[in-house]
Amino acid sequence: MEIWLWVVTALVAVVFLGSGVSKVVSSRQALYDSGMSYVQDVHPVALKAIGLLELTGALGLVLPPVLERSVHLVPIASGALAVMMLVATALHLRRREPFVVPLALAVVAGALTVLRLTEYPV
């Protein structure tokens, strides 16, 4: 089970790393042109902040166990990412856009939080 949990953690980290990097380095117009129409409702500074939070969360999932330091941060990072994705789900619902991807990410990140806090600590 531990290997499976690490594979899921790595996949979630890669998704948030990619998403965070794209929000930090791309312009708002470039994100809009790539299909992220919700950026119309998000202030440009807030969009960069969301990207930084996604980057921080992705690194918080992987770096503490790899460095064998502050492993208690892993469930905090996954919990924060789950909350972010619940907020993203609400945004997409309000805009009447597809919301399954952020909702699925919220569920997976929430499950990682619960598993890392209880049965499978890092």
Side-chain angles (χ1 to χ4, degrees):
M1 179 69 161
E2 185 71 21
I3 293 172
W4 174 84
L5 194 56
W6 272 110
V7 169
V8 172
T9 301
L11 290 174
V12 170
V14 166
V15 167
F16 281 106
L17 188 66
S19 178
V21 166
S22 71
K23 287 181 181 86
V24 169
V25 301
S26 299
S27 68
R28 189 174 178 196
Q29 186 61 43
L31 292 171
Y32 179 78
D33 292 342
S34 71
M36 295 183 186
S37 59
Y38 69 89
V39 299
Q40 295 172 336
D41 288 350
V42 180
H43 192 276
V45 174
L47 193 60
K48 299 296 181 190
I50 291 167
L52 286 173
L53 289 172
E54 289 176 345
L55 281 171
T56 304
L59 295 175
L61 289 175
V62 178
L63 284 182
V66 169
L67 299 175
E68 297 178 357
R69 307 211 57 150
S70 303
V71 292
H72 63 279
L73 294 176
V74 174
I76 293 171
S78 61
L81 290 171
V83 170
M84 281 182 53
M85 288 299 98
L86 288 175
V87 172
T89 300
L91 173 71
H92 288 292
L93 281 169
R94 191 182 78 204
R95 291 181 48 85
R96 291 178 170 61
E97 295 175 340
F99 62 91
V100 175
V101 172
L103 182 60
L105 284 170
V107 169
V108 172
L112 286 175
T113 303
V114 170
L115 288 171
R116 289 298 185 189
L117 283 173
T118 57
E119 198 171 343
Y120 299 98
V122 178

